[in-house]
Amino acid sequence: MYSNPPSGKDYAMLDVRPTIGDSKWFVHDRFGMFIHWGLYAQGARHEWLMNNESIPVEEYERRYFKRFNPDLYDPAVWAKAAAGAGMKYFVITTKHHEGFCLWDSKLTDYKAPNTAARRDLLKPMVQAFRKENMHVGFYHSLIDWHHPHFVLDRHIGPYRNHPDREKLNKGRDQKKYAAYLHGQVRELLTRYGKVDIMWFDFSYPKPDGSGKGHKDWESEKLLKLIRKLQPQILIDNRLDLPDGWDFLTPEQTQPPAWVQHKGQRVVWEACQTLCNSWGYHRDEQSYRSVDDLIHILIDCVSKGGNLLLNVGPTARGEIDERALDRLAGIGRWMRHHDRSIYGCTQAPDEFIPPQDTRLTYNPKTKRLYIHLFAWPYKHVSLAGAADRVEYAQLLHDASEVKLGMDAWHAQQVATSAKRLDLTLPVIRPNVTVPVIELFLK
Ligand code: GLC
């Protein structure tokens, strides 16, 4: 990436595939909360519960719909936890594959107001997160294992192995389902004010024409509707369309470099979970550490990307303590280090990251950040930065980091002259990932 970008172009978007929606705030804010919340929270063993255990619609309704009662639900608590972690936007599952709707849709009875919740659960959530100055994103499942016109297939869903699946499909009309899908998206984009992200999930077209893709969703028509209703909105890449999307969504993986499409860098967002489930999972023990989560946030930004980190609230309406613990830990690090994340992107190519580090760069302030994933002994050197830096400090306490190294050490380490040496304290600072802030000339 350029160190002195041609004037007029935003550095973070230089040579990046342009978006149709407004991505300026998105590539600045970098860090969001994904929220998976629905009837599956009661099963408390993964949001694909209905599929995994092939639970028929009637049984699923009997068990969970009638008993859904999030009596401890307070979205202000969720929003504060997200803001405390340094998150700047959120994406909520308005409807997941199970088909249950969090909002008061006029197109179905399978919705929160018809449960013991007795209200639209989306409205207060949007209000609470907006109050924390967060951008609003709606996840919406293209798949719907509850809707009577969603044609059942052999790939996914509770009836994928059902011997009489074709009999069950009698009378089902996918076009009627597509009309329902479009109608609900219209509701979501006309009732809750400005929506910043539409996050669809997911298409699964198969080479033999089975599965489901853009034809089943009528994606082209849906895209036009969305762009008409909310022209500024960002749309993800899961509608099974070759173009018209705004960002790519690598899931549960850490891209090795800036994500590309047809050889061009794109706006991208990694979506990841805290444990091995998106929905609340009581017995899941594989919760990731705060250290690991901070490392992946830094890694995403160092490659020009965002991190959408997921929580799965319980059926009582609370984010559980394991998730709150991770969010608080991330927040402690972000309190001292968020300016190495917000407004940052991949560093110009001439700066070579030292071993065990990641670089982020703020083109507006012209500050370079060295994130030290391991604490080096006394010195760290940055190739390509010789005579480019006027001052350096540890970000967490703004304590000066001296440029250069003393002659005695310098004579012992014969490396390229084009490097910047920095002298560090021997004792590692007591922060998850120490960061050096370099003020470029
Ligand atoms: C995967 C999961 C789905 C989840 C999505 C989020 O597709 O199967 O349940 O909503 O990831 O990206």
Side-chain angles (χ1 to χ4, degrees), residues 380-397:
V380 65
S381 299
L382 186 60
D387 65 42
R388 295 288 307 278
V389 175
E390 63 186 19
Y391 186 74
Q393 61 183 10
L394 284 172
L395 184 52
H396 72 285
D397 64 358

Side-chain angles (χ1 to χ4, degrees), residues 121-265:
L121 297 171
L122 188 60
K123 205 171 193 79
M125 195 187 302
V126 169
Q127 288 164 344
F129 278 79
R130 279 212 182 101
K131 203 160 164 228
E132 296 294 332
N133 300 316
M134 279 197 221
H135 282 89
V136 174
F138 289 162
Y139 166 110
H140 193 68
S141 176
L142 299 164
I143 297 159
D144 191 318
W145 296 326
H146 179 274
H147 195 274
H149 285 296
F150 186 85
V151 173
L152 309 170
D153 61 57
R154 69 175 190 278
H155 299 290
I156 59 170
Y159 301 101
R160 68 196 180 288
N161 302 320
H162 196 292
D164 297 335
R165 189 180 57 250
E166 287 325 310
K167 216 183 276 174
L168 293 171
N169 270 331
K170 279 244 167 318
R172 284 181 185 247
D173 178 351
Q174 186 69 20
K175 285 200 164 312
K176 287 186 178 156
Y177 172 70
Y180 172 77
L181 170 66
H182 291 211
Q184 288 204 319
V185 169
R186 177 184 289 277
E187 288 184 329
L188 290 169
L189 297 184
T190 52
R191 292 224 206 121
Y192 297 92
K194 179 169 173 284
V195 179
D196 302 289
I197 300 171
M198 204 64 215
W199 215 107
F200 289 104
D201 185 45
F202 65 96
S203 300
Y204 51 104
K206 303 296 178 194
D208 65 0
S210 64
K212 286 191 176 55
H214 64 89
K215 289 197 182 69
D216 302 286
W217 324 128
E218 297 181 20
S219 298
E220 292 83 350
K221 195 174 147 197
L222 181 56
L223 204 61
K224 286 198 182 82
L225 170 67
I226 297 165
R227 296 268 183 231
K228 184 162 75 59
L229 293 172
Q230 300 244 8
Q232 84 296 332
I233 206 164
L234 290 171
I235 302 173
D236 75 335
N237 63 311
R238 299 190 179 191
L239 277 169
D240 183 34
L241 292 174
D243 220 327
W245 46 268
D246 289 305
F247 63 100
L248 293 188
T249 55
E251 177 181 313
Q252 300 288 44
T253 182
Q254 209 52 35
W258 195 312
V259 177
Q260 299 193 0
H261 173 71
K262 293 184 182 162
Q264 186 179 24
R265 286 173 169 164

Side-chain angles (χ1 to χ4, degrees), residues 34 36 47-48 96 139 199 201 238 251 271 278:
F34 213 167
H36 276 68
E47 72 287 351
W48 275 60
H96 204 264
Y139 166 110
W199 215 107
D201 185 45
R238 299 190 179 191
E251 177 181 313
C271 53
W278 299 88

Side-chain angles (χ1 to χ4, degrees), residues 96-131:
H96 204 264
H97 312 335
E98 65 177 6
F100 174 70
C101 303
L102 290 181
W103 79 101
D104 186 14
S105 172
K106 300 307 173 209
L107 303 177
T108 180
D109 294 332
Y110 202 45
K111 59 185 178 180
N114 291 352
T115 69
R118 303 223 178 293
R119 61 177 168 146
D120 180 315
L121 297 171
L122 188 60
K123 205 171 193 79
M125 195 187 302
V126 169
Q127 288 164 344
F129 278 79
R130 279 212 182 101
K131 203 160 164 228

